[in-house]
Amino acid sequence: RLQKVQRFNQFWLSSSDRIDLMSPHELKFCKNYTDMMQAHYNACFLEKVPVPLRQLNEQQLTTEPPVDNHVFVRVLEDMGMVQMGDADEVELKEGEIAVVKYSNVDRLVETHKLELV
């Protein structure tokens, strides 16, 4: 999970809704990692380019994670049978861990019925 936080750090920090999906430890890690990378970029090459070109545009640097990848989720409350995509249904019981396509459960993660593992 920390690899994903590192890879998509700007994405996770770009909105309060996404920040709310991280644990306090993940948020601290993400902020520290982002600060460290900014300092690294400045020390390695940004200080050597003309001042007008030094500004990093966070919006251009933000990469969104692919939503069609499969993810591990922990079920936080019983939901019974849940539709996954066009045809599949999966039973989601509290405490279980499942592997599902993120695009099929993104709303359940946002509403804190599932959490990414």
Side-chain angles (χ1 to χ4, degrees):
R1 180 139 159 103
L2 290 180
Q3 264 185 329
K4 292 177 185 176
V5 171
Q6 284 179 320
R7 186 169 178 199
F8 303 109
N9 63 315
Q10 295 292 341
F11 172 79
W12 287 110
L13 295 175
S14 67
S15 85
S16 60
D17 290 340
R18 293 185 189 115
I19 288 172
D20 290 343
L21 294 175
M22 289 191 285
S23 73
H25 295 309
E26 289 170 332
L27 178 58
K28 181 179 178 183
F29 176 86
C30 189
K31 285 180 177 180
N32 288 342
Y33 178 79
T34 302
D35 291 345
M36 180 187 67
M37 291 306 295
Q38 180 70 40
H40 174 70
Y41 293 150
N42 285 333
C44 287
F45 61 88
L46 286 179
E47 65 185 24
K48 296 173 178 75
V49 298
V51 175
L53 300 176
R54 287 185 190 177
Q55 185 67 17
L56 290 176
N57 184 335
E58 289 182 17
Q59 208 168 24
Q60 290 177 334
L61 295 175
T62 302
T63 303
E64 292 188 24
V67 294
D68 287 330
N69 284 0
H70 285 75
V71 295
F72 288 90
V73 294
R74 178 177 293 111
V75 182
L76 300 177
E77 63 182 65
D78 285 330
M79 288 181 271
M81 298 302 286
V82 176
Q83 186 74 34
M84 296 287 161
D86 294 333
D88 297 334
E89 278 192 358
V90 175
E91 186 172 10
L92 297 176
K93 295 180 183 177
E94 183 177 354
E96 290 184 338
I97 293 179
V99 178
V100 293
K101 188 185 287 189
Y102 183 74
S103 60
N104 291 334
V105 297
D106 57 345
R107 298 289 178 235
L108 297 173
V109 172
E110 291 170 6
T111 58
H112 303 283
K113 293 180 179 183
L114 301 177
E115 70 178 350
L116 297 173
V117 178

